[in-house]
Amino acid sequence: MTEPVDPADAEDFLRLFYTEHPNEGDADRRVAWVRAEIDLTGTYHHTTAELTFGAQVAWRNSARCIGRLYWRSLRVRDLRAVRTADDVAEHCVQHLRQAWNGGKLRPLMSVFAPEAPNRPAPRIWNELLIRYAGYPTEDGGVLGDPRYLGFTDRVTTLGWRPTEPRGAFDVLPLVVETPEEGPRLYDLPADAVREVPITHPELPWLTELGLRWHAVPAISNIRMVIGGVSYPAAPFNGWYMGTEIGARNLADTERYNLLPEVARRLGLDTSSETTLWRDRALVELNRAVLHSFAAAGVTITDHHTESDRFLKHVAKEQRAGRTCPADWSWIVPPMSGSQTPVFHRYYDTEHLRPEFVLDDDAAH
Amino acid sequence: MTEPVDPADAEDFLRLFYTEHPNEGDADRRVAWVRAEIDLTGTYHHTTAELTFGAQVAWRNSARCIGRLYWRSLRVRDLRAVRTADDVAEHCVQHLRQAWNGGKLRPLMSVFAPEAPNRPAPRIWNELLIRYAGYPTEDGGVLGDPRYLGFTDRVTTLGWRPTEPRGAFDVLPLVVETPEEGPRLYDLPADAVREVPITHPELPWLTELGLRWHAVPAISNIRMVIGGVSYPAAPFNGWYMGTEIGARNLADTERYNLLPEVARRLGLDTSSETTLWRDRALVELNRAVLHSFAAAGVTITDHHTESDRFLKHVAKEQRAGRTCPADWSWIVPPMSGSQTPVFHRYYDTEHLRPEFVLDDDAAH
Ligand code: HEM
Ligand code: HEM
């Protein structure tokens, strides 16, 4: 059951909107209107300008995101009127096509209906719009992405059948749930799932590993809260920082865990940790990721460049008279931490709104 | 001016001591005694057993230290009676010799006099007993360790003269200050300063860079506080984790900043960050450090092994019914962070005493 919106939350947001948009007119009038609307209905409607600004500021306030320099560039698709699962799924597909933009990725968000008292909203079950299935194998291992073993199992129970033979990079179906229809499954059309085959600038055998990754990272299970109104389905994407793929998705021991194989192919001595075989394999895998995206003409960034940009962003926010909350343990990249300038300082940890909220706050 | 010891702080510590030493007798009697002693003198004397335990637990409580599995192995030299600068310096030299132990390093602490009301204690100015001078060069650069430009300048003002020609690894003099004598300088004898020349298992040109590092990392400017009593001079050492040298001291852009040179020698393309030349050079420099210490028969540990050990320690502490406070941003190694298991969890951040206190809490 959704609680009525707290009018104070609404007012805080509206005053922020008018402070940052001095030409938009009179805050007091809008606040009075919204208070009346909340009185009557328990919630209120954001204007499209408010929604767009709210989404941009939710990004600006994302303490874990290193990519915030371009927060003003976020485009927002106002899809609050979309109600059926079919339509939500279709608009997710369109989102992926628009975000792709021929390889020159665009930061984009699609905002579906908010929650309202007595009116639950559609939800997307997937953590990201595009992710790969994980299957248990006979020998106790996993084919594909171990992170999605549970999700793969759930969609299979709901009737999903992967194309045979199963592979390590089978795109999972979208699961959209509406109060009226329950969860429904949708296979993503091939042209919405752009992928990059992973090759290495110097090591031909890396191509033989048959690795690939999807181009558009679109998070779809994070709730956006603006001025007290909660948007549970508001998938958004930027572009990848290489380490997300090369140092986490493909390298984490609980994910594709590819470093032992890469090290073996590199001929490294893996008999002892002191040879730093993990570290060497990690660098080569990350070089491969950055090289492959560049070769395919798909936007990507590296952790050194992005760290510099982030510190520019922090300085810019300071000049604008704003604090920039940041979570050190998420901002510092997962490899070569101390070689990036973001390592060598502290950050504000104040919590600001509008915001993104993870309903299930798992460790990263 | 040192304030009198708070009897509650003393009691907290003494009860901890007796809880963890059930065979030592009656806590109440000792607490009553100490309360009377504080009443009379404003402070109290730790027994040598209390001092040793206090030091070990200060280590156990060091949220930033990944090396705590062996906290019980800390040996403590009780040097509270030592008063003159000459004697403090001489005992620091002995500390370095005992810690060295023929290359099989021993965790060791030398505890000099505590502060007491109307009785200031000796202090050691150096951050570590062994560190290298930094000199400004004509072209605006630095010869040696840029971190110690200021310290080098200060000791030069006090009369220190480096051996000419100056080098990149000139050991700084010890500065011991007593209330009676003021600051006094002491050159460390060569046999107290064991160093390891840095070579690489496969790259002969790395030897030509003429790099070296000292074997014993002995922190000497951190105050230890046990049961309300403050020990400002209590230098301690463990052994190095390779990244401290290879990823920080020799690699930080504000320190020896050697990665551009290493990358150049490796023939890497440094025209763009996306080639990950920093990351590749970083791995080779760290391999060199671990290799060199091993070849010289000097104790060292790598960040993978030490991360595993630390998680063993956390589990052990939990079994003992204790929380293990840890600071994620210090525990996670400065390279290949997500490849170490310490990255993938959260830690208790409770603050426990006895403790080490940095008087000047600078960013790391
Ligand atoms: C434009 C390019 C972008 C880059 C390079 C970027 C980079 C990153 C990175 C590296 C992370 C950490 C991911 C992890 O460790 O799992 C992150 C997290 C995050 N980013 Fe961004 N980002 C971008 C765009 C966006 C956009 C458009 C939004 C929202 C409108 C956003 C919101 C977030 C949020 C909420 C998180 C935390 C996710 C979580 O808690 O799991 N980012 N970003
Ligand atoms: C036995 C081997 C040891 C290892 C491998 C080890 C490892 C480390 C490492 C890697 C750091 C982080 C350093 C940095 O990032 O600057 C650290 C910090 C620290 N360690 Fe240990 N340590 C050891 C022994 C000790 C001992 C014997 C003590 C005290 C009795 C100690 C107390 C501390 C403290 C207080 C810090 C924080 C220093 C600061 O705030 O600058 N460690 N240790």
Side-chain angles (χ1 to χ4, degrees), chain A residues 64 247-248 251-252 259 273-276 278-280 282-284 286-287 290 302-305 328-329 334-339 343-344 346 362-364, chain B residues 64 202 247-248 251-252 259 273-276 278-280 282-284 286-287 290 302-305 328-329 334-339 343-344 346 362-364:
Chain A
R64 295 173 165 185
R248 305 295 315 275
D252 272 4
L259 297 189
E273 293 291 353
T274 63
T275 65
L276 303 190
R278 280 183 205 284
D279 312 70
R280 294 170 77 193
L282 183 65
V283 174
E284 295 313 328
N286 278 276
R287 288 181 66 210
L290 291 169
D302 69 82
H303 49 294
H304 301 289
T305 304
W328 195 96
S329 71
M335 68 185 284
S336 308
S338 58
Q339 273 300 303
F343 182 95
H344 301 275
Y346 293 118
H364 69 143
Chain B
R64 294 172 166 185
E202 294 131 27
R248 305 295 313 275
D252 272 4
L259 298 190
E273 293 291 353
T274 63
T275 65
L276 302 190
R278 282 184 203 282
D279 312 70
R280 295 170 75 194
L282 182 65
V283 175
E284 295 313 327
N286 278 277
R287 288 182 64 210
L290 291 169
D302 70 81
H303 49 294
H304 301 289
T305 304
W328 195 97
S329 71
M335 68 185 285
S336 310
S338 58
Q339 272 300 302
F343 182 95
H344 302 274
Y346 294 117
H364 69 145

Coordinates of all heavy atoms in Angstrom, one line a residue, chain A residues 64 247-248 251-252 259 273-276 278-280 282-284 286-287 290 302-305 328-329 334-339 343-344 346 362-364, chain B residues 64 202 247-248 251-252 259 273-276 278-280 282-284 286-287 290 302-305 328-329 334-339 343-344 346 362-364:
Chain A
R64 N 27.0 7.1 -5.7 CA 27.9 6.0 -6.2 C 28.3 6.2 -7.7 O 29.1 5.4 -8.2 CB 27.0 4.8 -6.2 CG 26.7 4.3 -4.7 CD 25.7 3.2 -4.8 NE 25.7 2.5 -3.5 CZ 25.0 1.4 -3.3 NH1 24.3 0.8 -4.3 NH2 24.9 0.9 -2.1
A247 N 36.6 -5.5 -15.2 CA 37.1 -5.8 -13.8 C 36.0 -6.4 -12.9 O 36.3 -6.8 -11.9 CB 37.7 -4.5 -13.2
R248 N 34.8 -6.3 -13.4 CA 33.7 -6.8 -12.5 C 32.9 -8.0 -13.2 O 33.0 -9.1 -12.9 CB 32.7 -5.7 -12.1 CG 33.4 -4.5 -11.4 CD 34.1 -4.9 -10.0 NE 33.2 -5.7 -9.2 CZ 32.3 -5.3 -8.4 NH1 32.1 -4.0 -8.2 NH2 31.6 -6.1 -7.6
A251 N 35.2 -10.5 -14.6 CA 36.4 -10.9 -13.8 C 36.1 -11.3 -12.4 O 36.8 -12.1 -11.8 CB 37.4 -9.8 -13.8
D252 N 35.0 -10.8 -11.8 CA 34.7 -11.2 -10.4 C 34.6 -12.7 -10.3 O 34.1 -13.4 -11.2 CB 33.3 -10.6 -10.0 CG 33.4 -9.2 -9.4 OD1 34.5 -8.6 -9.4 OD2 32.4 -8.7 -9.0
L259 N 39.6 -14.6 -15.2 CA 41.0 -14.3 -15.1 C 41.9 -15.6 -15.0 O 43.0 -15.6 -15.6 CB 41.3 -13.4 -13.9 CG 40.7 -12.0 -14.0 CD1 41.2 -11.1 -12.9 CD2 41.0 -11.4 -15.3
E273 N 50.1 -16.4 -5.5 CA 49.5 -15.1 -5.7 C 50.6 -14.0 -5.9 O 50.4 -13.0 -6.5 CB 48.7 -14.7 -4.5 CG 47.4 -15.5 -4.4 CD 46.4 -15.3 -5.4 OE1 46.6 -14.3 -6.3 OE2 45.4 -16.0 -5.5
T274 N 51.8 -14.3 -5.4 CA 52.9 -13.3 -5.5 C 53.4 -13.0 -6.9 O 54.0 -12.0 -7.1 CB 54.1 -13.7 -4.6 OG1 54.7 -14.8 -5.2 CG2 53.7 -13.9 -3.2
T275 N 53.0 -13.9 -7.9 CA 53.4 -13.5 -9.3 C 52.5 -12.5 -9.8 O 52.7 -12.0 -10.9 CB 53.3 -14.8 -10.2 OG1 51.9 -15.2 -10.3 CG2 54.1 -15.9 -9.6
L276 N 51.4 -12.1 -9.1 CA 50.4 -11.1 -9.5 C 49.8 -11.5 -10.8 O 49.5 -10.6 -11.7 CB 51.1 -9.7 -9.6 CG 51.7 -9.2 -8.2 CD1 52.0 -7.7 -8.3 CD2 50.7 -9.5 -7.0
R278 N 46.8 -12.5 -11.3 CA 45.5 -12.0 -11.4 C 45.5 -10.5 -11.9 O 44.7 -10.1 -12.8 CB 44.9 -11.9 -10.0 CG 44.3 -13.1 -9.5 CD 43.6 -12.9 -8.1 NE 43.6 -14.2 -7.4 CZ 42.7 -15.2 -7.7 NH1 41.8 -15.0 -8.6 NH2 42.8 -16.3 -7.0
D279 N 46.5 -9.8 -11.4 CA 46.6 -8.4 -11.7 C 47.0 -8.2 -13.2 O 46.5 -7.3 -13.9 CB 47.6 -7.7 -10.8 CG 47.4 -8.0 -9.4 OD1 47.6 -9.2 -9.0 OD2 47.0 -7.2 -8.6
R280 N 47.9 -9.1 -13.7 CA 48.3 -9.0 -15.1 C 47.2 -9.4 -16.0 O 46.9 -8.7 -17.0 CB 49.5 -9.9 -15.3 CG 50.7 -9.4 -14.6 CD 51.8 -10.4 -14.6 NE 52.5 -10.4 -15.9 CZ 53.3 -11.4 -16.3 NH1 53.5 -12.4 -15.5 NH2 53.9 -11.3 -17.5
L282 N 44.0 -9.2 -15.4 CA 43.0 -8.2 -15.2 C 43.3 -7.0 -16.2 O 42.4 -6.5 -16.9 CB 43.0 -7.7 -13.8 CG 42.0 -6.6 -13.4 CD1 40.6 -7.2 -13.5 CD2 42.3 -6.1 -12.0
V283 N 44.5 -6.6 -16.3 CA 44.9 -5.5 -17.2 C 44.6 -5.9 -18.6 O 44.0 -5.1 -19.4 CB 46.4 -5.0 -17.0 CG1 46.7 -4.0 -18.0 CG2 46.6 -4.5 -15.6
E284 N 45.0 -7.1 -19.0 CA 44.8 -7.5 -20.4 C 43.3 -7.6 -20.8 O 42.9 -7.2 -21.9 CB 45.5 -8.8 -20.7 CG 47.1 -8.7 -20.6 CD 47.6 -7.4 -21.3 OE1 47.1 -7.0 -22.4 OE2 48.7 -6.9 -20.8
N286 N 40.9 -5.9 -19.4 CA 40.4 -4.5 -19.5 C 40.8 -3.8 -20.7 O 40.1 -3.0 -21.3 CB 40.7 -3.8 -18.2 CG 39.7 -4.1 -17.1 OD1 38.6 -3.5 -17.1 ND2 40.0 -5.1 -16.3
R287 N 42.1 -4.0 -21.1 CA 42.5 -3.5 -22.4 C 41.6 -4.0 -23.5 O 41.3 -3.3 -24.5 CB 44.0 -3.8 -22.7 CG 45.0 -3.1 -21.8 CD 46.4 -3.5 -22.2 NE 46.7 -3.1 -23.5 CZ 47.6 -3.7 -24.3 NH1 48.1 -4.8 -23.9 NH2 47.8 -3.2 -25.5
L290 N 38.2 -2.2 -23.6 CA 38.2 -0.8 -24.1 C 38.5 -0.8 -25.6 O 37.9 -0.1 -26.4 CB 39.3 0.0 -23.4 CG 39.0 0.3 -21.9 CD1 40.2 0.9 -21.2 CD2 37.8 1.3 -21.8
D302 N 37.3 5.1 -20.0 CA 38.2 4.3 -19.1 C 38.2 5.0 -17.7 O 37.8 6.1 -17.5 CB 39.6 4.3 -19.7 CG 40.3 5.6 -19.6 OD1 40.8 6.0 -18.6 OD2 40.2 6.3 -20.7
H303 N 38.7 4.3 -16.7 CA 38.6 4.7 -15.3 C 39.5 5.9 -15.0 O 39.2 6.7 -14.1 CB 38.8 3.6 -14.3 CG 40.0 2.8 -14.6 ND1 40.2 2.0 -15.7 CD2 41.2 2.6 -13.9 CE1 41.3 1.3 -15.7 NE2 42.0 1.7 -14.6
H304 N 40.6 6.1 -15.8 CA 41.5 7.2 -15.5 C 40.8 8.5 -16.0 O 40.6 9.5 -15.3 CB 42.8 7.1 -16.2 CG 43.5 5.8 -15.8 ND1 44.1 5.7 -14.5 CD2 43.8 4.6 -16.4 CE1 44.7 4.5 -14.4 NE2 44.5 3.9 -15.5
T305 N 40.3 8.5 -17.3 CA 39.6 9.6 -17.9 C 38.4 10.0 -17.0 O 38.1 11.2 -16.7 CB 39.2 9.3 -19.3 OG1 40.3 8.8 -20.0 CG2 38.5 10.4 -20.0
W328 N 33.0 7.1 -1.5 CA 34.4 6.7 -1.9 C 34.5 5.3 -2.4 O 35.1 5.1 -3.5 CB 35.3 6.9 -0.7 CG 36.8 7.0 -1.0 CD1 37.5 8.1 -1.1 CD2 37.7 5.8 -1.1 NE1 38.8 7.7 -1.3 CE2 38.9 6.4 -1.3 CE3 37.5 4.5 -1.0 CZ2 40.1 5.5 -1.5 CZ3 38.6 3.7 -1.2 CH2 39.9 4.2 -1.5
S329 N 33.9 4.4 -1.7 CA 34.1 3.0 -2.1 C 33.4 2.6 -3.4 O 33.8 1.6 -4.1 CB 33.6 2.0 -1.0 OG 32.2 2.0 -1.0
P334 N 37.5 -0.2 -9.5 CA 37.9 -1.5 -8.9 C 39.2 -2.0 -9.3 O 39.6 -3.1 -8.9 CB 36.8 -2.4 -9.4 CG 36.3 -1.8 -10.6 CD 36.4 -0.3 -10.4
M335 N 40.0 -1.2 -10.1 CA 41.4 -1.6 -10.4 C 42.2 -0.3 -10.4 O 41.7 0.8 -10.7 CB 41.5 -2.4 -11.7 CG 41.2 -1.5 -12.9 SD 41.3 -2.5 -14.5 CE 43.1 -2.7 -14.7
S336 N 43.5 -0.5 -10.0 CA 44.5 0.6 -10.0 C 43.9 1.8 -9.3 O 44.1 3.0 -9.6 CB 44.8 1.0 -11.5 OG 45.2 -0.1 -12.2
G337 N 43.2 1.6 -8.2 CA 42.6 2.6 -7.4 C 43.5 3.9 -7.1 O 43.1 5.0 -7.5
S338 N 44.6 3.6 -6.6 CA 45.5 4.8 -6.1 C 46.1 5.5 -7.3 O 46.7 6.6 -7.2 CB 46.5 4.3 -5.2 OG 47.4 3.4 -5.7
Q339 N 46.0 4.9 -8.5 CA 46.5 5.6 -9.7 C 45.5 6.6 -10.2 O 45.7 7.4 -11.2 CB 46.9 4.6 -10.8 CG 48.3 4.2 -10.7 CD 49.3 5.3 -10.8 OE1 49.4 6.1 -11.7 NE2 50.1 5.5 -9.7
F343 N 41.0 8.7 -5.7 CA 41.4 7.9 -4.5 C 41.9 8.8 -3.4 O 41.7 8.5 -2.2 CB 42.5 7.0 -4.9 CG 43.1 6.1 -3.9 CD1 42.6 4.8 -3.8 CD2 44.1 6.5 -3.0 CE1 43.1 3.9 -2.8 CE2 44.6 5.6 -2.1 CZ 44.1 4.3 -1.9
H344 N 42.5 9.9 -3.8 CA 43.3 10.7 -2.8 C 42.6 11.8 -2.1 O 43.2 12.9 -1.9 CB 44.6 11.2 -3.5 CG 45.4 10.1 -4.1 ND1 46.3 9.4 -3.3 CD2 45.4 9.5 -5.3 CE1 46.9 8.5 -4.1 NE2 46.4 8.5 -5.3
Y346 N 38.7 12.9 0.3 CA 37.4 12.6 0.9 C 36.3 13.3 0.2 O 36.5 14.2 -0.6 CB 37.4 12.9 2.4 CG 38.4 12.1 3.2 CD1 39.5 12.7 3.9 CD2 38.3 10.7 3.3 CE1 40.4 11.9 4.6 CE2 39.2 10.0 4.1 CZ 40.2 10.6 4.7 OH 41.1 9.8 5.4
A362 N 21.7 -4.6 -1.5 CA 22.8 -5.6 -1.4 C 24.2 -5.0 -1.5 O 24.3 -3.9 -2.0 CB 22.6 -6.6 -2.5
A363 N 25.1 -5.7 -1.0 CA 26.5 -5.2 -1.1 C 26.9 -5.2 -2.6 O 26.3 -6.0 -3.4 CB 27.5 -6.2 -0.4
H364 N 27.8 -4.4 -3.0 CA 28.1 -4.3 -4.5 C 29.3 -5.2 -4.8 O 29.8 -5.9 -3.9 CB 28.4 -2.9 -4.9 CG 29.6 -2.3 -4.4 ND1 30.4 -1.5 -5.1 CD2 30.2 -2.4 -3.2 CE1 31.5 -1.1 -4.3 NE2 31.3 -1.7 -3.2
Chain B
R64 N 42.3 0.5 10.0 CA 43.0 0.7 8.7 C 43.9 -0.4 8.4 O 44.5 -0.4 7.3 CB 43.7 2.0 8.7 CG 42.8 3.2 8.8 CD 43.7 4.5 9.0 NE 42.9 5.7 8.8 CZ 43.4 6.9 8.7 NH1 44.7 7.0 8.9 NH2 42.7 7.9 8.5
E202 N 62.0 -10.5 -15.0 CA 62.2 -10.7 -16.4 C 62.8 -9.5 -17.1 O 63.3 -9.6 -18.2 CB 60.9 -11.1 -17.2 CG 60.4 -12.4 -16.8 CD 58.9 -12.3 -16.5 OE1 58.2 -11.4 -17.0 OE2 58.4 -13.1 -15.7
A247 N 52.7 0.3 -5.3 CA 51.5 1.0 -5.8 C 51.4 2.4 -5.2 O 50.6 3.2 -5.6 CB 50.2 0.2 -5.5
R248 N 52.1 2.7 -4.1 CA 51.9 4.0 -3.4 C 53.3 4.8 -3.4 O 53.4 5.8 -4.1 CB 51.4 3.9 -2.0 CG 50.1 3.1 -1.9 CD 48.9 3.8 -2.6 NE 48.8 5.2 -2.3 CZ 48.2 5.7 -1.2 NH1 47.6 4.9 -0.4 NH2 48.2 7.0 -1.0
A251 N 54.9 4.8 -6.8 CA 54.0 5.0 -8.0 C 53.0 6.2 -7.9 O 52.6 6.8 -8.9 CB 53.1 3.8 -8.2
D252 N 52.7 6.7 -6.6 CA 51.8 7.8 -6.5 C 52.3 9.0 -7.3 O 53.6 9.2 -7.3 CB 51.6 8.2 -5.1 CG 50.5 7.5 -4.3 OD1 49.9 6.6 -5.0 OD2 50.2 7.8 -3.2
L259 N 55.7 5.5 -12.7 CA 55.0 4.8 -13.8 C 55.2 5.3 -15.2 O 55.4 4.5 -16.1 CB 53.5 4.6 -13.5 CG 53.2 3.9 -12.2 CD1 51.7 3.6 -12.1 CD2 54.0 2.6 -12.1
E273 N 45.0 7.5 -22.1 CA 44.7 6.7 -20.9 C 44.1 5.3 -21.3 O 44.2 4.4 -20.6 CB 43.8 7.4 -20.0 CG 44.5 8.7 -19.3 CD 45.6 8.3 -18.4 OE1 45.8 7.1 -18.1 OE2 46.3 9.3 -17.9
T274 N 43.4 5.3 -22.4 CA 42.7 4.1 -22.8 C 43.6 2.9 -23.1 O 43.1 1.7 -23.1 CB 41.7 4.3 -24.0 OG1 42.5 4.6 -25.1 CG2 40.7 5.4 -23.7
T275 N 44.9 3.1 -23.3 CA 45.8 2.0 -23.5 C 46.1 1.3 -22.1 O 46.7 0.2 -22.1 CB 47.1 2.4 -24.1 OG1 47.8 3.3 -23.2 CG2 46.9 3.1 -25.4
L276 N 45.6 1.9 -21.0 CA 45.9 1.4 -19.7 C 47.4 1.2 -19.4 O 47.8 0.3 -18.7 CB 45.1 0.1 -19.4 CG 43.6 0.2 -19.6 CD1 42.9 -1.1 -19.1 CD2 43.0 1.4 -18.9
R278 N 49.2 3.0 -17.5 CA 49.4 3.1 -16.1 C 49.2 1.8 -15.4 O 50.0 1.4 -14.5 CB 48.4 4.1 -15.4 CG 48.7 5.5 -15.6 CD 47.7 6.4 -14.9 NE 47.7 7.7 -15.5 CZ 48.6 8.6 -15.3 NH1 49.6 8.4 -14.5 NH2 48.6 9.8 -16.0
D279 N 48.1 1.1 -15.7 CA 47.8 -0.1 -15.1 C 48.8 -1.2 -15.4 O 49.2 -2.0 -14.5 CB 46.4 -0.6 -15.5 CG 45.4 0.6 -15.5 OD1 45.5 1.5 -16.3 OD2 44.5 0.5 -14.6
R280 N 49.3 -1.2 -16.6 CA 50.3 -2.2 -17.0 C 51.7 -2.0 -16.3 O 52.3 -2.9 -15.7 CB 50.5 -2.3 -18.5 CG 49.3 -2.7 -19.2 CD 49.4 -2.5 -20.7 NE 50.2 -3.5 -21.3 CZ 50.7 -3.4 -22.5 NH1 50.4 -2.3 -23.3 NH2 51.5 -4.3 -23.0
L282 N 52.0 -0.4 -13.5 CA 51.8 -0.6 -12.1 C 52.0 -2.1 -11.7 O 52.7 -2.4 -10.7 CB 50.4 -0.2 -11.8 CG 49.9 -0.3 -10.3 CD1 50.7 0.7 -9.4 CD2 48.4 0.0 -10.2
V283 N 51.5 -3.0 -12.6 CA 51.6 -4.4 -12.3 C 53.1 -4.8 -12.3 O 53.6 -5.5 -11.4 CB 50.8 -5.3 -13.3 CG1 51.1 -6.7 -13.1 CG2 49.3 -5.0 -13.1
E284 N 53.8 -4.3 -13.3 CA 55.3 -4.7 -13.4 C 56.1 -4.2 -12.3 O 57.0 -4.8 -11.7 CB 55.9 -4.2 -14.8 CG 55.2 -4.9 -16.0 CD 55.1 -6.5 -15.8 OE1 56.0 -7.1 -15.2 OE2 54.1 -7.0 -16.4
N286 N 55.0 -3.6 -9.3 CA 54.6 -4.4 -8.1 C 55.2 -5.8 -8.1 O 55.6 -6.3 -7.1 CB 53.1 -4.4 -7.9 CG 52.7 -3.1 -7.2 OD1 52.7 -3.0 -6.0 ND2 52.3 -2.1 -8.0
R287 N 55.3 -6.3 -9.3 CA 55.9 -7.7 -9.4 C 57.4 -7.5 -9.0 O 57.9 -8.4 -8.3 CB 55.9 -8.2 -10.9 CG 54.5 -8.6 -11.3 CD 54.5 -9.2 -12.7 NE 55.3 -10.4 -12.8 CZ 56.0 -10.7 -13.9 NH1 55.9 -10.0 -15.0 NH2 56.7 -11.8 -13.8
L290 N 57.8 -7.3 -5.1 CA 57.6 -8.6 -4.5 C 58.8 -9.6 -4.8 O 59.3 -10.3 -3.9 CB 56.3 -9.3 -4.9 CG 55.0 -8.5 -4.4 CD1 53.8 -9.1 -5.1 CD2 54.9 -8.7 -2.8
D302 N 51.8 -10.1 -0.3 CA 51.1 -9.5 -1.4 C 49.7 -9.3 -1.0 O 49.2 -9.8 -0.1 CB 51.2 -10.4 -2.7 CG 50.4 -11.7 -2.5 OD1 49.1 -11.6 -2.7 OD2 50.9 -12.7 -2.1
H303 N 49.0 -8.4 -1.8 CA 47.7 -8.0 -1.4 C 46.6 -9.1 -1.5 O 45.6 -9.0 -0.8 CB 47.3 -6.7 -2.2 CG 47.5 -6.8 -3.7 ND1 48.7 -6.9 -4.2 CD2 46.6 -6.8 -4.7 CE1 48.6 -7.0 -5.6 NE2 47.3 -6.9 -5.9
H304 N 46.8 -10.1 -2.4 CA 45.8 -11.1 -2.4 C 45.9 -12.0 -1.2 O 44.9 -12.3 -0.5 CB 46.1 -12.0 -3.7 CG 46.0 -11.2 -5.0 ND1 44.8 -10.7 -5.4 CD2 46.9 -10.7 -5.8 CE1 45.0 -10.0 -6.6 NE2 46.3 -10.0 -6.8
T305 N 47.1 -12.5 -0.9 CA 47.3 -13.3 0.3 C 46.9 -12.6 1.5 O 46.2 -13.2 2.4 CB 48.9 -13.6 0.4 OG1 49.3 -14.2 -0.8 CG2 49.1 -14.5 1.6
W328 N 36.9 0.3 5.1 CA 36.9 -0.3 3.8 C 37.9 0.4 2.9 O 38.7 -0.3 2.2 CB 35.5 -0.2 3.2 CG 35.2 -1.0 2.0 CD1 34.6 -2.2 1.9 CD2 35.5 -0.7 0.6 NE1 34.5 -2.7 0.6 CE2 35.1 -1.7 -0.2 CE3 36.2 0.4 0.0 CZ2 35.2 -1.8 -1.6 CZ3 36.3 0.4 -1.4 CH2 35.9 -0.7 -2.2
S329 N 38.0 1.7 2.9 CA 38.8 2.4 2.0 C 40.3 2.2 2.3 O 41.1 2.5 1.4 CB 38.5 3.9 2.0 OG 38.9 4.6 3.2
P334 N 45.2 -0.8 -2.9 CA 45.2 0.3 -3.9 C 45.3 -0.2 -5.3 O 45.3 0.7 -6.2 CB 46.4 1.2 -3.5 CG 47.3 0.3 -2.8 CD 46.5 -0.8 -2.1
M335 N 45.4 -1.5 -5.6 CA 45.4 -2.0 -7.0 C 44.5 -3.2 -7.0 O 44.5 -4.0 -6.0 CB 46.8 -2.2 -7.5 CG 47.5 -3.4 -6.9 SD 49.3 -3.5 -7.6 CE 49.0 -4.2 -9.2
S336 N 43.9 -3.5 -8.1 CA 43.1 -4.7 -8.3 C 42.1 -4.9 -7.2 O 41.9 -6.1 -6.8 CB 44.0 -5.9 -8.5 OG 45.0 -5.7 -9.4
G337 N 41.5 -3.8 -6.7 CA 40.6 -3.9 -5.6 C 39.6 -5.0 -5.6 O 39.5 -5.9 -4.7
S338 N 38.8 -5.1 -6.7 CA 37.7 -6.0 -6.8 C 38.2 -7.5 -6.9 O 37.4 -8.4 -6.8 CB 36.7 -5.6 -7.9 OG 37.4 -5.6 -9.1
Q339 N 39.5 -7.7 -7.2 CA 40.0 -9.0 -7.3 C 40.3 -9.6 -5.9 O 40.7 -10.8 -5.8 CB 41.2 -9.1 -8.2 CG 40.9 -9.3 -9.7 CD 40.1 -10.6 -9.9 OE1 40.6 -11.7 -9.6 NE2 38.9 -10.5 -10.4
F343 N 37.1 -6.6 -0.9 CA 36.3 -5.6 -1.6 C 34.8 -5.9 -1.5 O 34.0 -4.9 -1.4 CB 36.7 -5.7 -3.1 CG 36.0 -4.7 -4.0 CD1 36.6 -3.5 -4.3 CD2 34.8 -5.0 -4.6 CE1 36.1 -2.6 -5.1 CE2 34.2 -4.0 -5.4 CZ 34.8 -2.9 -5.7
H344 N 34.4 -7.2 -1.4 CA 33.0 -7.5 -1.6 C 32.2 -7.6 -0.4 O 31.3 -8.5 -0.3 CB 32.9 -8.8 -2.4 CG 33.7 -8.7 -3.8 ND1 33.0 -8.2 -4.9 CD2 34.9 -8.9 -4.1 CE1 33.9 -8.2 -5.9 NE2 35.0 -8.6 -5.5
Y346 N 30.9 -5.4 3.6 CA 31.0 -4.3 4.5 C 31.7 -4.7 5.8 O 31.8 -5.9 6.1 CB 29.6 -3.7 4.8 CG 29.0 -3.2 3.5 CD1 27.8 -3.7 3.0 CD2 29.5 -2.0 2.9 CE1 27.2 -3.2 1.9 CE2 28.9 -1.5 1.8 CZ 27.8 -2.1 1.2 OH 27.2 -1.5 0.1
A362 N 45.4 13.6 8.3 CA 45.4 13.9 6.8 C 44.8 12.8 6.0 O 44.8 11.7 6.4 CB 46.9 14.2 6.4
A363 N 44.4 13.1 4.8 CA 43.9 12.1 3.9 C 45.0 11.2 3.5 O 46.2 11.6 3.5 CB 43.3 12.8 2.6
H364 N 44.7 9.9 3.2 CA 45.8 9.0 2.9 C 46.1 9.0 1.4 O 45.5 9.7 0.6 CB 45.6 7.6 3.4 CG 44.5 6.9 2.7 ND1 44.5 5.6 2.5 CD2 43.3 7.4 2.2 CE1 43.4 5.2 1.8 NE2 42.7 6.3 1.6

